[in-house]
Amino acid sequence: MELTYYADFAVRLVNTEEPRRGIDTLTTADAVRELLADTTKLAARATDADVTRLRGVRTRLRAVFAAAAETDEVRAVDLLNALLMEYPCSPQIAGHDYRDEDGNPKWHMHLADNAASAGAAYAAVAAMGLAFSLTDLGVDRLGVCEAYPCRHAYLDTSTNRSRRYCSDRCATRANVAAYRARKRLESGRTAEKAQPASEPGER
């Protein structure tokens, strides 16, 4: 499995909150287990303490995406390095869970199986995955949705690095809003031109 796959862990964590809408879905241990659904062993270890830990990590990861979106590469890297220092990985080669058609182990990397808690393990994996994406693909591949009021994070995997929205839905909403704004502006200009000129001396 490519290590950049784990960058999606960071995106998923950041997007458990929608600040402008006042929505936060990461409020219980069950919500943490849902976030960890892809990693069954971690999900089984989730506790209420992981809620607080992951919400703090989420704020810091959002700051990484925001700095990248503002083209502040140095700040994005510094913020991510701080997370990597606090949540180090302990990579191991594993294969006992997956076997090929001949029964041989399918070797792959596990990044943080020995972390002290499920939240710490998730944070380590998310930070490492994002670090690999940043260094392999470029800081400009980390983005924050431009469609108001959405502030979801995303990884730009487009061939021309042109992505500006987290989803097709947000892209459509933004395009419709821009179209309506142009129409209002055009209508205002048309109305101004249609007004009769004032007569001399008229107030």
Side-chain angles (χ1 to χ4, degrees), residues 92-100 103-110:
Q92 292 182 329
I93 301 171
H96 53 275
D97 295 333
Y98 304 98
R99 296 190 176 272
D100 62 23
N104 300 313
K106 295 177 71 174
W107 301 114
H108 58 280
M109 294 296 294
H110 279 191

Side-chain angles (χ1 to χ4, degrees), residues 5-202:
Y5 156 84
Y6 291 110
D8 190 53
F9 281 50
V11 173
R12 282 162 41 200
L13 177 56
V14 170
N15 292 344
T16 59
E17 181 185 32
E18 297 184 54
R20 287 177 173 168
R21 292 188 173 109
I23 296 172
D24 185 351
T25 60
L26 192 62
T27 56
T28 65
D30 283 339
V32 173
R33 292 185 192 100
E34 186 175 340
L35 182 66
L36 300 173
D38 287 350
T39 53
T40 320
K41 290 180 181 177
L42 284 185
R45 294 171 54 196
T47 67
D48 289 336
D50 291 312
V51 176
T52 303
R53 180 188 299 276
L54 286 174
R55 289 174 85 172
V57 172
R58 179 181 65 189
T59 299
R60 295 167 69 183
L61 285 172
R62 180 176 288 282
V64 174
F65 279 95
E70 293 163 5
T71 66
D72 191 343
E73 295 188 15
V74 173
R75 178 166 169 72
V77 169
D78 287 346
L79 290 169
L80 191 48
N81 273 336
L83 279 167
L84 290 168
M85 290 287 290
E86 188 171 341
Y87 296 100
C89 280
S90 52
Q92 292 182 329
I93 301 171
H96 53 275
D97 295 333
Y98 304 98
R99 296 190 176 272
D100 62 23
E101 59 276 3
D102 297 323
N104 300 313
K106 295 177 71 174
W107 301 114
H108 58 280
M109 294 296 294
H110 279 191
L111 293 184
D113 281 357
N114 298 319
S117 68
Y122 192 97
V125 171
M128 182 59 75
L130 199 57
F132 273 103
S133 284
L134 187 151
T135 53
D136 283 357
L137 305 176
V139 179
D140 59 340
R141 293 290 192 167
L142 280 60
V144 177
C145 187
E146 294 182 13
Y148 186 87
C150 183
R151 293 293 290 165
H152 274 181
Y154 64 84
L155 292 173
D156 183 359
T157 56
S158 65
T159 54
N160 58 357
R161 300 173 183 259
S162 61
R163 187 170 174 182
R164 296 168 55 204
Y165 307 105
C166 68
S167 64
D168 290 340
R169 179 182 177 187
C170 275
T172 300
R173 188 168 71 244
N175 289 334
V176 169
Y179 172 78
R180 289 176 176 167
R182 284 195 304 273
K183 285 298 180 185
R184 283 194 299 271
L185 184 61
E186 290 170 6
S187 295
R189 288 174 178 165
T190 303
E192 287 177 5
K193 289 179 180 178
Q195 288 179 354
S198 300
E199 293 293 330
E202 198 176 64

